[in-house]
Amino acid sequence: MELKDAVRQKYGEAALRVNTGGSSCCGAAPGAIGCVDPITSNLYDSGQASQLPQEAVLASLGCGNPTALAAINAGETVLDLGSGGGIDVLLSAKRVGPAGKAYGLDMTDEMLALARENQRKSGIDNVEFLKGEIESIPLPDNSVDVIISNCVINLSGDKDTVLREAFRVLKPGGRFAVSDVVVRGDVPSEVRRSMELWVGCIAGALRDYDYAAKLAKAGFDSIDIAPTRVYSVDDARQFLSGEGIDADAIAPQIQDKFISAFIRAVKPAVKPSAKDCCGPACCS
Ligand SMILES: C[S@@+](CC[C@H](N)C(=O)[O-])C[C@H]1O[C@@H](n2cnc3c(N)ncnc32)[C@H](O)[C@@H]1O
């Protein structure tokens, strides 16, 4: 619970900073007005940003842009795990249109209040923000077409449960399409030990092959992890410096090892059983 409480506190404060005009960063350094975070900055192009109230765009704390990369079709149901200020939920709601629905799930009251205010300002109706934890998703089995998430699963201390829950709520054939910070290879132990770096999306990042293995263990197939940003030592200096870690001293261990990635997987479609077959060819 200590970790979850720290995450809730950090993002509750971040939500309040957005409300008072300051910006916030996904990275470990405390958000400051005008902070430029190599992870969180410039994720949405003007075409997407102009569709939403400015407050929703300013509230973005992700590390990618899953709505730009995921296949999302009219009439579908989308769920955003850790929806924060709601930017990806609102963009998804526009994509699925009035016949579809976009859910946002978040455990932090201040973020939910911010997201609901952003929804009100945007005038988008086919949206519902749910309070809850991604380790116990408050939706029925087989009810969602697409799960998106933006820099949240790396914050969880129980990623196996999160992926099992994602699998449970997806419909057969449903898509997992998530942005996350991921590590290629090993990370220095002083980085892994830092709580502040964990709540800043860094220390809890999975190795790419561990992420793929956990997705497979949960039942997913068609797993793919593609880099969207690769962080240099200069970038890493920014997100490590808040914790007093000397990036130059560990440069060879961090150069190009932290990446933002787009992670995709599919819940296998159910094959018809022999008794459902209508003829010799239909189950082939
Ligand atoms: C880095 S922010 C990302 C917010 C949003 N996805 C975005 O792109 O702006 C992480 C969000 O996930 C939420 N969160 C973190 N861990 C969670 C958990 N275990 N269950 C539900 N929400 C969680 C936090 O409250 C916060 O709003």
Side-chain angles (χ1 to χ4, degrees), residues 118-190:
N118 285 334
Q119 180 194 353
R120 191 191 62 73
K121 284 183 188 140
S122 69
I124 299 172
D125 290 331
N126 55 335
V127 160
E128 194 174 337
F129 288 101
L130 306 169
K131 180 168 180 178
E133 299 186 356
I134 60 175
E135 295 82 0
S136 174
I137 299 174
L139 286 174
D141 298 358
N142 306 319
S143 57
V144 170
D145 296 288
V146 186
I147 286 190
I148 59 168
S149 183
N150 200 346
C151 233
V152 179
I153 296 174
N154 47 14
L155 298 172
S156 175
D158 189 357
K159 296 171 174 68
D160 287 312
T161 301
V162 175
L163 298 181
R164 212 168 40 239
E165 277 290 276
F167 188 86
R168 178 184 67 76
V169 300
L170 276 174
K171 297 175 186 173
R175 286 103 66 200
F176 178 91
V178 162
S179 292
D180 241 330
V181 173
V182 169
V183 178
R184 298 191 286 200
D186 289 321
V187 168
S189 53
E190 60 262 53

Side-chain angles (χ1 to χ4, degrees), residues 4 7-12 14-15 25-27 40 43-44 56-57 59-64 66 80-88 105-109 111-112 130-136 149-157 162 199-201:
K4 209 164 250 178
V7 170
R8 198 181 277 116
Q9 186 181 341
K10 167 165 173 147
Y11 289 102
C25 301
C26 177
T40 296
L43 296 173
Y44 298 87
V57 179
S60 159
L61 290 172
C63 53
D80 183 10
L81 300 180
S83 42
I87 184 167
D88 293 323
L105 173 64
D106 208 286
M107 67 176 182
T108 305
D109 287 322
M111 277 296 181
L112 286 164
L130 306 169
K131 180 168 180 178
E133 299 186 356
I134 60 175
E135 295 82 0
S136 174
S149 183
N150 200 346
C151 233
V152 179
I153 296 174
N154 47 14
L155 298 172
S156 175
V162 175
V199 300
C201 311

Side-chain angles (χ1 to χ4, degrees), residues 5 28 36 54 59 63 94 102 107 125 130 149 169 180 185 210 224 269 273 276:
D5 288 343
V36 179
Q54 205 201 358
C63 53
K94 289 193 167 242
M107 67 176 182
D125 290 331
L130 306 169
S149 183
V169 300
D180 241 330
D210 288 335
D224 181 60
S273 67
D276 299 325

Side-chain angles (χ1 to χ4, degrees), residues 21-44:
S23 69
S24 326
C25 301
C26 177
I33 291 180
C35 73
V36 179
D37 183 310
I39 299 178
T40 296
S41 54
N42 302 322
L43 296 173
Y44 298 87

